[in-house]
Amino acid sequence: MDDEQKKISLPEIIIMVMIVGGADLFDVFVGLAAAVPVIGQILLFGNWFVDIFVLAIVQFWLIMKGGIGFRKQATVLVGNLAEMIPFLDILPIRTAALLVAIYMINHPGITEAVKTIK
């Protein structure tokens, strides 16, 4: 499939992966800094706001792309909600879920083939 036919272009993918990847890196930093008595607790509290902010950005971006079904929205939503579980957020679940959703959006024939296999 050519780049012109893909719903999500490469610059959009790079920008969204930078936003989500940056949030995941912040999660790792917060997870490591959680052992520090006062600063770690403040960062843990602030991390929830970062998670909610990134969740809102990603969901709004997917909605604005238009024509993206519930399954792709739910994939990213589950990844973002898994990041809100303390100490599980060190894993890059949100970034992996975003990349899977982008792949499903840009390659609809593969996702349709998977549906028919079930």
Side-chain angles (χ1 to χ4, degrees):
M1 184 177 282
D2 294 333
D3 286 336
E4 296 84 45
Q5 295 173 334
K6 292 184 178 180
K7 280 193 158 225
I8 300 176
S9 66
L10 183 61
E12 290 175 317
I13 294 171
I14 292 171
I15 291 170
M16 291 310 294
V17 168
M18 286 175 57
I19 291 171
V20 173
D24 279 340
L25 285 175
F26 184 70
D27 285 339
V28 170
F29 174 72
V30 169
L32 296 174
V36 179
V38 176
I39 297 172
Q41 302 308 314
I42 292 170
L43 287 174
L44 279 173
F45 182 72
N47 191 30
W48 282 79
F49 291 108
V50 171
D51 286 343
I52 292 170
F53 185 69
V54 170
L55 169 69
I57 288 173
V58 172
Q59 291 297 322
F60 180 72
W61 174 69
L62 286 173
I63 290 169
M64 293 309 292
K65 290 307 293 177
I68 296 172
F70 175 75
R71 186 170 290 191
K72 293 151 188 121
Q73 286 276 0
T75 302
V76 176
L77 184 62
V78 167
N80 277 306
L81 292 178
E83 287 288 332
M84 293 188 185
I85 299 172
F87 301 109
L88 183 63
D89 60 352
I90 293 175
L91 301 172
I93 298 170
R94 179 182 10 225
T95 304
L98 178 69
L99 291 174
V100 167
I102 288 173
Y103 187 80
M104 287 172 30
I105 292 166
N106 280 344
H107 300 89
I110 292 174
T111 56
E112 291 299 322
V114 170
K115 285 181 189 176
T116 58
I117 290 173
K118 291 182 182 179

